[in-house]
Amino acid sequence: MTASPVPLPWWADAVGYEVYLRSFADSDGDGIGDLRGLRERLDYLAWLGVDIVWVTPFFASPMHDHGYDVADYTGVEPLFGSAEDVDALVARAHELGLRVIVDLVPNHSSSEHPWFRQARASRDNPCRDYYIWRDGAPDGGPPNNWVSVFGGPAWTFDDATGQWWLHLFLPEQPDLNWANEAVRAEFDEILRFWLRRGVDGFRIDVAHALVKHPDLPDIPEAARPADPHDIGDAVSRSDWERYDHPYDVDQEGVTEIYRRWREVVEPFGGLLLGEVYLHDPARLARYLNPQDGLHLSFWFKPLHIRWSPEAIREVLRSAVAEVPEHLAWVQGSHDRSRAATRFGGGDLGRGRSLALATLFMGLPGVPFLYMGEELGLDDVAVPPERSQDPIAVRHRAPERARDNCRTPMPWEPVPGHGFTAAGVEPWLPFGDRRPQDTVSVQRDDPSSWLSRWRRLIAVRKSCDLGAPGIDWVDRDGGIVAYRRGRTVFAANCGDASATFALPAGGWRPLFDSAAPAMDGSAGGDRAVTGRLALDAAQAVILQHEG
Ligand code: GLC
């Protein structure tokens, strides 16, 4: 008897899309995106060809970190809508063949969550142990030298009960104590609550940090040699980056939590996608055991590299070698400067971003777009007086502010940009978006960035990705290229035109990032043999003939 083949999970050949909810579409004219606005724009995402929609947190929140401070894990924030709006969103998405994953924030709650209010009420409150409390150091300072990701110490003193609470982010985001079984049980139910409501899975915020070393030892100053590929921006000069993190994140035992969650989500077919922010693929692989780990994790290193063929080759190859099938490939997020800006700005940056996306499309795993990437959007320089991000507002580090990548989507070249009503001031400025940056203008132009991204996604869906292995067919020089089965993916990541030797046989172009319009059929050009020439930032997908 032969074993029947294991069916592929529903996300196996999917493409994902991050919706930063506050900035996607505002249906009620308050200048902030909401659930109904997103529902009304789902047709666009279906047309674009993505499959998974990750929606940033819409749970009840005092918004100190724009929803990543959750005061009720099963309640919907009125600013974004109601529970019925979630149901309607999920129902419409499913009608369109889209899946919805919600953003679960388990590392910390809001300080206004009833658990924390009770925990603060007295040392012997049953919720006290939901959080991490310690006495101060003998000198009266914090219990150890841990720092917050946002800057400053990771501890705040509670006058009423005379102890310090731990927060790897804002003081208003106290870290939950995952050593406490009661916390684990609470989250089992939170997962079930949303799965029963029909969501298709979870993006797990700060998934690598839930467990801390039980002794909370001091962390050492960073001893790592500088990574030559690293972009070396303001983030890499932050308090957090000044230390190594052997005790505060990525602890043994964190994967046990995901083993437990796999059992919870499996009956629903739910997806677990981690924000595992580790730049070492071998460490990342520990979270992705196919049997009982997270199904997918983002791989963030591409958000931190300079544009160079060496950096791109390294960042792709190292991850594929360690984690063959469980990566979500990203080049942007609501936490980083936009890819087009990081990669040089303007059309240069847009072209490079599309070239990197082309390389992502054939790798095992799931490519994700960050809202607006498909338009080639670059950052908006949000003036300091309009800053919203607590990193800028609270920690006075405007150079690290995440506002510039979070500005509203430009849908149409009209007042309000089709994001909100004319005359409404959005929560972050639109910036000087041009008509050709908008969805409606690009949609009708076959040579636009949007049309190219859409063709790229369609080609990923249609081409033969059956073969599991990746064969890197580039040698060195500017072109990064690999073969998967009958398909070659290649991008010129250098600064000048270059050629490379195709594997034997004839190769028919399916996608060309530089082709202004290849009509709906995407291809049909004559087969190429021998050497292929690509301009700087040009990327192609080719299929073997015969
Ligand atoms: C994640 C989110 C980020 C948030 C932080 C704290 O990194 O992506 O936006 O500020 O977690 O929850």
Side-chain angles (χ1 to χ4, degrees):
M1 247 177 72
T2 51
S4 51
V6 182
L8 286 174
W10 57 259
W11 56 85
D13 61 358
V15 175
Y17 188 96
E18 174 184 0
V19 168
Y20 189 67
L21 186 60
R22 291 179 77 86
S23 292
F24 199 63
D26 169 24
S27 71
D28 60 3
D30 64 357
I32 298 174
D34 49 47
L35 291 163
R36 204 175 72 195
L38 168 55
R39 171 161 55 88
E40 290 166 354
R41 294 288 187 183
L42 284 176
D43 292 66
Y44 165 71
L45 297 179
W47 170 85
L48 179 59
V50 302
D51 310 278
I52 306 175
V53 183
W54 151 32
V55 189
T56 54
F58 50 74
F59 316 105
S61 166
M63 296 286 161
H64 290 293
D65 189 21
H66 298 118
Y68 285 94
D69 46 329
V70 178
D72 178 358
Y73 285 96
T74 55
V76 175
E77 167 60 38
L79 204 56
F80 294 132
S82 63
E84 290 67 43
D85 290 324
V86 177
D87 293 345
L89 171 74
V90 171
R92 179 68 186 140
H94 289 173
E95 271 169 29
L96 291 167
L98 300 168
R99 309 274 189 155
V100 177
I101 64 172
V102 300
D103 206 326
L104 187 74
V105 189
N107 180 67
H108 43 267
S109 73
S110 159
S111 54
E112 291 184 29
H113 195 290
W115 298 335
F116 193 69
R117 287 171 181 270
Q118 292 176 58
R120 257 181 121 164
S122 74
R123 287 198 190 194
D124 53 12
N125 187 286
C127 282
R128 182 80 174 176
D129 198 34
Y130 273 39
Y131 296 89
I132 301 172
W133 298 92
R134 287 291 184 280
D135 294 333
D139 67 357
N144 67 18
N145 70 346
W146 292 11
V147 288
S148 151
V149 174
F150 290 160
W155 297 94
T156 293
F157 187 67
D158 181 46
D159 287 324
T161 59
Q163 282 189 312
W164 301 73
W165 77 82
L166 177 71
H167 51 87
L168 291 188
F169 294 88
L170 296 175
E172 292 86 351
Q173 294 169 299
D175 278 50
L176 285 156
N177 176 16
W178 280 88
N180 181 349
E181 167 58 28
V183 169
R184 295 183 184 222
E186 297 273 13
F187 273 85
D188 292 348
E189 287 314 306
I190 293 164
L191 289 164
R192 283 198 190 96
F193 175 90
W194 288 110
L195 290 164
R196 287 197 191 106
R197 218 138 190 150
V199 310
D200 299 292
F202 303 90
R203 177 263 187 187
I204 303 155
D205 192 60
V206 211
H208 55 301
L210 273 50
V211 173
K212 279 83 186 173
H213 191 289
D215 303 333
L216 307 180
D218 276 357
I219 47 174
E221 287 196 19
R224 284 160 295 146
D227 180 337
H229 299 317
D230 200 284
I231 198 165
D233 58 2
V235 170
S236 52
R237 296 191 300 274
S238 65
D239 283 354
W240 182 263
E241 292 295 322
R242 277 205 281 276
Y243 289 92
D244 283 335
H245 296 278
Y247 307 123
D248 45 355
V249 299
D250 191 30
Q251 299 300 290
E252 295 309 319
V254 66
T255 53
E256 265 170 41
I257 297 169
Y258 305 127
R259 184 171 310 144
R260 177 170 174 150
W261 288 7
R262 274 287 286 265
E263 285 177 24
V264 175
V265 302
E266 220 91 297
F268 298 89
L271 168 66
L272 296 176
L273 162 59
E275 186 205 24
V276 184
Y277 224 112
L278 300 173
H279 290 339
D280 175 354
R283 299 297 300 176
L284 187 57
R286 298 164 44 253
Y287 293 75
L288 295 166
N289 184 335
Q291 311 319 321
D292 59 11
L294 297 173
H295 299 109
L296 293 172
S297 167
F298 289 115
W299 167 236
F300 287 106
K301 190 76 195 190
L303 280 73
H304 294 262
I305 53 169
R306 293 174 200 281
W307 185 264
S308 81
E310 296 75 28
I312 292 167
R313 203 172 274 131
E314 158 69 18
V315 89
L316 303 184
R317 286 192 188 196
S318 62
V320 169
E322 288 287 347
V323 192
E325 268 155 18
H326 303 278
L327 292 179
W329 298 94
V330 270
Q331 53 176 313
S333 83
H334 65 286
D335 292 327
R336 288 289 284 169
S337 173
R338 284 184 172 277
T341 300
R342 292 196 323 272
F343 293 148
D347 280 348
L348 175 71
R350 295 183 180 105
R352 288 173 169 178
S353 167
L354 179 58
L356 183 57
T358 308
L359 289 174
F360 284 170
M361 287 292 161
L363 298 175
V366 178
F368 262 75
L369 282 64
Y370 173 53
M371 174 185 105
E373 222 156 66
E374 74 281 14
L375 302 172
L377 294 186
D378 44 19
D379 284 349
V380 168
V382 173
E385 67 277 9
R386 292 290 307 269
S387 274
Q388 299 281 335
D389 182 7
I391 294 181
V393 179
R394 302 268 296 269
H395 292 287
R396 288 185 215 83
E399 71 287 357
R400 289 200 290 127
R402 299 168 294 176
D403 296 310
N404 297 1
C405 65
R406 295 179 173 180
T407 58
M409 271 288 271
W411 293 97
E412 291 149 34
V414 297
H417 285 78
F419 165 75
T420 189
V424 172
E425 190 57 48
W427 76 288
L428 282 173
F430 291 115
D432 55 357
R433 297 286 187 221
R434 308 157 305 168
Q436 63 265 37
D437 292 325
T438 62
V439 171
S440 67
V441 170
Q442 292 204 25
R443 205 173 162 143
D444 294 334
D445 172 3
S447 69
S448 68
W449 296 105
L450 175 59
S451 296
R452 295 178 204 200
W453 277 81
R454 182 165 177 259
R455 282 198 295 273
L456 173 62
I457 293 169
V459 167
R460 168 181 166 99
K461 296 291 172 54
S462 66
C463 68
D464 179 10
L465 292 177
I470 291 279
D471 190 7
W472 297 93
V473 295
D474 52 358
R475 299 287 170 263
D476 46 22
I479 292 179
V480 178
Y482 61 87
R483 177 180 184 163
R484 182 161 177 202
R486 297 173 56 225
T487 315
V488 161
F489 297 76
N492 183 347
C493 303
D495 293 328
S497 307
T499 65
F500 90 112
L502 284 163
W507 294 87
R508 194 170 64 82
L510 299 179
F511 174 75
D512 179 348
S513 72
M518 297 210 304
D519 69 28
S521 64
D525 291 1
R526 275 184 305 114
V528 198
T529 52
R531 291 196 80 79
L532 178 74
L534 294 178
D535 289 334
Q538 187 179 4
V540 291
I541 303 175
L542 307 159
Q543 189 165 298
H544 196 251
E545 273 196 328

